[in-house]
Amino acid sequence: MQPKIIIHGGFFSESADTEEIRIAKRNALTNIVTEAHEYLQENSALKTVIYAVSLLEDCELFNAGLGSQIQSDGKIRMSAAIMDGFSKKFSGVVNIEEIKNPVFVAEKLMNYEDSVLSGAEAQSFARQHGFQYFNPETESRRRSYIDKLAESSRIGTVGCVALDSEGKLAVATSTGGKGFEVPGRVSDSATVAGNFGNDFAAISCTGVGEDIVSAALAAKIVTRVTDGLSLKDACDRSMNELKPYNGFAGVIGISADGDVYHTDSHPFMVWASYAGTLEVFS
Ligand code: GLY
């Protein structure tokens, strides 16, 4: 099986992002997908999605890890999840604070029966396992917060789906939320609506968490592929179902037979893939 990978870095915001940022995001996604694709040659899909999402979290251009959006009380709370399509294990953290890489805490939780933790308890679990204090705030996010730039919401979340040489699929997704939200609000990213996979397909979502949860988006697409629809048809049909409520979402996915697909409800999600050749949003 030829290893394949696709990543996303959320949405490009016409109102909040400049042309310079568009180019920077394009370059960052190109570098990260190339590096993660190389990693995938020697590593499993599961290890690769964690690695790729950690690189995305470390890049302050994206709304996950370093550079996460600030919530309405001035704090950053992050969520991340991993799903191994082979073992069907899902793990995640919801609204964790002061951690560099939420996806690595989700990775640690893969070994535990109670595999999704939230808030302060997620943070104490992380500290017990050696994750040091880290402040993910950047100057630019603080400026947006101070200006109450509501339009800078909806641009967030990063994700990766990979298919390895053994034909196994995995997916990881990480987010700083939608920005300026009420404390305690739960993102889709660490739920099966935003991050889901099995032996047939794996999907990572970005966009407005409430819209994605209302559609059970990732789980629905994967179920449709499992029941026989092609990846493209499953994604397109599920995205159509967002239209009656103007749902705002983007998805990336790979199916077990090697189809790689991405689509979005609004202009436009930023993404990059390596499936034989390198492709990047333009
Ligand atoms: N999709 C990220 C969020 O709404 O929190």
Side-chain angles (χ1 to χ4, degrees):
M1 177 70 76
Q2 183 190 37
K4 293 182 180 173
I5 184 164
I6 183 163
I7 62 175
H8 70 73
F11 276 83
F12 179 77
S13 163
E14 305 285 354
S15 50
D17 286 348
T18 59
E19 177 62 11
E20 201 180 17
I21 292 180
R22 193 186 71 81
I23 293 167
K25 284 187 173 178
R26 200 166 186 274
N27 291 340
L29 289 174
T30 302
N31 293 337
I32 292 170
V33 83
T34 304
E35 204 171 315
H37 179 254
E38 232 171 85
Y39 185 87
L40 180 60
Q41 306 311 305
E42 303 294 329
N43 291 281
S44 68
L46 180 61
K47 284 185 78 172
T48 303
V49 296
I50 295 164
Y51 177 62
V53 167
S54 75
L55 297 178
L56 290 159
E57 287 177 338
D58 289 343
C59 179
E60 68 176 80
L61 290 167
F62 303 114
N63 174 26
L66 178 69
S68 286
Q69 304 254 31
I70 301 173
Q71 302 195 344
S72 60
D73 62 350
K75 291 190 175 178
I76 291 176
R77 296 179 183 84
M78 301 166 287
S79 299
I82 303 164
M83 185 156 185
D84 179 11
F86 180 68
S87 66
K88 315 291 177 299
K89 179 90 177 182
F90 183 102
S91 67
V93 287
V94 178
N95 288 332
I96 194 167
E97 293 178 47
E98 297 173 342
I99 289 289
K100 184 164 182 283
N101 291 106
V103 75
F104 287 151
V105 186
E107 178 185 27
K108 184 60 80 180
L109 282 162
M110 271 276 178
N111 306 317
Y112 289 78
E113 206 175 295
D114 298 339
S115 62
V116 183
L117 294 183
S118 70
E121 289 74 16
Q123 193 185 9
S124 22
F125 172 88
R127 295 280 183 262
Q128 277 160 29
H129 290 84
F131 291 85
Q132 304 293 318
Y133 169 85
F134 181 80
N135 180 2
E137 184 177 311
T138 58
E139 264 177 46
S140 130
R141 292 298 187 203
R142 176 57 58 177
R143 269 198 309 275
S144 300
Y145 171 73
I146 288 166
D147 295 347
K148 296 190 171 48
L149 279 180
E151 64 270 26
S152 73
S153 68
R154 301 184 164 191
I155 61 172
T157 308
V158 300
C160 176
V161 180
L163 173 71
D164 63 26
S165 55
E166 293 180 3
K168 291 175 181 157
L169 289 157
V171 53
T173 307
S174 182
T175 191
K178 61 180 180 180
F180 223 75
E181 60 265 69
V182 173
R185 180 245 180 200
V186 174
S187 154
D188 62 293
S189 301
T191 73
V192 297
N195 183 86
F196 194 69
N198 65 11
D199 302 314
F200 293 86
I203 296 287
S204 171
C205 301
T206 179
V208 175
E210 287 71 8
D211 297 351
I212 293 165
V213 167
S214 299
L217 196 56
K220 188 194 286 176
I221 294 170
V222 170
T223 303
R224 283 181 162 154
V225 176
T226 305
D227 288 347
L229 242 59
S230 70
L231 179 66
K232 180 182 183 314
D233 288 350
C235 287
D236 290 350
R237 187 180 295 185
S238 306
M239 292 296 278
N240 264 332
E241 290 166 359
L242 298 177
K243 285 183 180 157
Y245 58 97
N246 195 27
F248 190 107
V251 299
I252 57 171
I254 304 183
S255 65
D257 47 17
D259 290 344
V260 179
Y261 192 61
H262 63 88
T263 181
D264 46 32
S265 61
H266 292 71
F268 59 89
M269 178 178 65
V270 299
W271 59 274
S273 66
Y274 218 122
T277 52
L278 171 70
E279 287 186 53
V280 193
F281 81 91
S282 53

